[in-house]
Amino acid sequence: GDLARLADAVAARLADPGLARREGERGRRRVELSFDRGRMTDQVAALVDKLTPPERRP
């Protein structure tokens, strides 16, 4: 909710493309480690099991 702080953060990245690139690379590594295909498949399957009524499960 702090628009001034958001504007400052955006301006800092626009003024320093290297900073933006480094942060982007770190973000990508985090996503690749935290959201790999196997982990996400397991989480979706667990959610489907949780949301499926017992009488509808095979």
Side-chain angles (χ1 to χ4, degrees):
D2 187 341
L3 293 179
R5 187 172 170 196
L6 175 60
D8 288 343
V10 170
R13 274 112 193 121
L14 291 173
D16 187 350
L19 171 63
R21 180 184 46 77
R22 289 187 305 275
E23 288 183 341
E25 289 169 354
R26 282 194 307 267
R28 181 182 178 108
R29 279 193 300 276
R30 180 177 179 266
V31 167
E32 289 172 343
L33 293 171
S34 299
F35 301 97
D36 68 26
R37 185 176 296 148
R39 177 184 248 173
M40 295 309 300
T41 300
D42 291 345
Q43 289 180 359
V44 169
L47 179 61
V48 169
D49 285 344
K50 180 179 178 181
L51 297 175
T52 303
E55 64 273 7
R56 302 271 326 255
R57 294 183 194 155

